[in-house]
Amino acid sequence: MSRRPIGLSPDLLRLQNEGYDIEIRDGFLLVRDVPYVDSCATLQRGILISRLELSGDVTVKPKDHVAYWTGAHPCHSDGRKIAAIQNGFAPQDFGNGVKADFTFSAKADYRDYHHKMTTYIARITGEATKIDADATARTYPPVPAHGEASVFQYEDTATSRAGIGAVNARIGGQRLGIVGLGGTGAYILDLVTKTAAAEIRIIDGDVFSQHNAFRAPGAASLEELASRPRKVSYLAARYGHMHKGIVAHEVFIDESNVALVDGLDFVFLCLDRGPVKRAVVERLVATGTPFIDVGMGVVLNDGQLGGIVRLTMSAPDTRDKAAPHISYADDDGGANEYATNIQIAELNALNACLAVLRWKQYFGVYRDGRNNFYAGFSIGTGEIVQEAAG
């Protein structure tokens, strides 16, 4: 079975995106799980089949109106055969497991295979809905990714449904790094695994502890917490169900291994504080790598939480302006407004969302009219203060 014509043919892709269970096999298009009524007026499910006309790997207009059917003959809701589609009764074996019990003929000038197959399905399933209003051929089955080249375990049908493949391709193939997999770093991982980044390199030597579970995406089980997994191993296993390119490094980054951030196209820096961050920043600047530094300062005052969630975008054209906004709490010689370590899931998630949005802006996925290098969200006012490079 090849899925390549599905991705290249708008009519087949539309069928897939609308939730039909389609397959291409030996020049035939199969739509599985089509509900119908049998002669006993009970609901069954069958397979609608059509010969597939291709030019290379792309469909062309169907040359005929004939379709084939695997299953009992579809009937009206009272058990009478649907005569309007009836043609031949002799079963046929087309090879490679493609077999038909009936041949159908519903004459029309079909524009494409979406038009052809949905026209037949409407005639067949319309009778099924008289018995069960929820009967539908749009079952939205999981769709495995096409070929070894895909970074996903299953197809990104969200992008194709929205028609934004060309836009999202601007970040496809990138090699990303996330240094620090605490609350914000874990949410960044959650978001970037939904992109076609070729590699997502995650670096953290810490254990995924119980307090981490309350500020990270998803829900760890008690048994998982009891096993004291490393953050990166736990998260790589979880998100490896979706993305093939996650590379986990179970180490604390420091001056001795800072080369782990080499060779990346973009880095999300999610370290709380310390001279370690300075070493990483210096390395990224030296290699010309754009990065985003995230952080927050949340304080408890008069029984309420307040503070700021911020990000700083440092790219070759904004280094000087971004530098004063990067926090090094352990070695900057005094109190630091971002040093407080109160973290809450929604603030971590917000921080991650702002960072990923800015990354996508930088590479042209989202419109960027200001080239902001700093953004700070004030909890108390709900305002986002931004500074632009101009």
Side-chain angles (χ1 to χ4, degrees):
M1 181 187 72
S2 171
R3 302 202 67 85
R4 181 171 170 80
I6 297 175
L8 297 176
S9 306
D11 51 350
L12 301 186
L13 191 60
R14 184 179 175 187
L15 284 169
Q16 176 179 281
N17 289 340
E18 289 180 357
Y20 295 100
D21 187 354
I22 67 174
E23 178 185 346
I24 295 171
R25 185 182 295 180
D26 283 4
F28 288 88
L29 170 63
L30 286 68
V31 181
R32 301 182 180 279
D33 248 350
V34 179
Y36 70 98
V37 181
D38 65 13
S39 59
C40 297
T42 58
L43 287 180
Q44 305 290 345
R45 287 189 176 263
I47 303 172
L48 183 65
I49 304 168
S50 173
R51 293 186 185 276
L52 194 62
E53 301 291 338
L54 297 170
S55 176
D57 281 333
V58 181
T59 58
V60 296
K61 184 178 179 178
K63 291 184 178 180
D64 63 51
H65 56 271
V66 174
Y68 306 94
W69 178 255
T70 304
H73 197 291
C75 297
H76 293 281
S77 58
D78 59 5
R80 294 178 297 110
K81 289 182 179 178
I82 301 176
I85 60 174
Q86 188 170 301
N87 185 10
F89 292 92
Q92 299 183 66
D93 188 340
F94 299 110
N96 197 22
V98 181
K99 298 180 180 180
D101 297 305
F102 298 95
T103 302
F104 292 157
S105 177
K107 293 184 178 180
D109 183 19
Y110 295 114
R111 299 184 299 273
D112 54 33
Y113 286 96
H114 178 275
H115 183 207
K116 179 178 182 178
M117 303 308 269
T118 56
T119 299
Y120 272 102
I121 290 169
R123 293 192 178 198
I124 295 168
T125 301
E127 294 300 317
T129 59
K130 294 178 182 178
I131 296 176
D132 181 354
D134 294 327
T136 179
R138 298 171 68 170
T139 59
Y140 290 94
V143 182
H146 167 67
E148 293 298 320
S150 175
V151 299
F152 295 113
Q153 302 286 4
Y154 43 88
E155 289 289 336
D156 175 12
T157 54
T159 290
S160 57
R161 286 186 78 187
I164 55 173
V167 175
N168 280 345
R170 293 168 187 163
I171 52 175
Q174 286 194 17
R175 301 176 70 187
L176 306 178
I178 306 174
V179 183
L181 271 292
T184 301
Y187 277 104
I188 289 174
L189 176 64
D190 181 274
L191 295 172
V192 298
T193 51
K194 277 80 170 177
T195 72
E199 179 185 339
I200 305 171
R201 195 180 304 174
I202 55 177
I203 306 167
D204 196 315
D206 207 355
V207 171
F208 190 82
S209 299
Q210 189 161 329
H211 67 275
N212 298 120
F214 283 90
R215 66 185 197 204
S221 69
L222 187 61
E223 292 75 17
E224 286 172 320
L225 292 174
S227 69
R228 294 181 57 78
R230 298 289 178 180
K231 286 179 181 177
V232 294
S233 297
Y234 167 77
L235 292 166
R238 187 59 51 92
Y239 287 97
H241 295 306
M242 172 178 275
H243 203 289
K244 300 176 184 176
I246 301 173
V247 180
H249 293 276
E250 293 183 357
V251 295
F252 292 107
I253 199 162
D254 57 28
E255 293 84 351
S256 69
N257 60 15
V258 72
L260 285 172
V261 298
D262 289 355
L264 296 171
D265 298 299
F266 197 91
V267 172
F268 296 94
L269 192 52
C270 309
L271 296 172
D272 289 334
R273 52 190 179 270
V276 169
K277 182 192 285 190
R278 188 177 296 276
V280 178
V281 168
E282 289 175 353
R283 185 77 173 203
L284 295 173
V285 171
T287 57
T289 308
F291 67 91
I292 286 178
D293 174 51
V294 300
M296 64 179 73
V298 181
V299 295
L300 180 62
N301 188 13
D302 292 332
Q304 292 184 310
L305 296 173
I308 191 169
V309 173
R310 55 91 189 169
L311 69 87
T312 304
M313 168 83 186
S314 179
D317 63 333
T318 61
R319 297 293 192 206
D320 292 342
K321 293 182 178 180
H325 292 276
I326 298 176
S327 166
Y328 307 102
D330 279 351
D331 66 344
D332 64 355
N336 187 281
E337 62 181 313
Y338 307 126
T340 306
N341 197 33
I342 296 175
Q343 296 189 42
I344 301 171
E346 59 269 23
L347 297 180
N348 287 122
L350 173 62
N351 209 354
C353 288
L354 292 173
V356 172
L357 283 166
R358 187 66 193 92
W359 162 60
K360 288 187 175 184
Q361 275 187 315
Y362 182 71
F363 287 99
V365 174
Y366 291 113
R367 193 182 303 275
D368 180 14
R370 287 173 49 87
N371 192 20
N372 293 316
F373 63 88
Y374 172 83
F377 170 78
S378 170
I379 297 171
T381 66
E383 296 176 324
I384 297 179
V385 176
Q386 302 183 85
E387 293 187 35

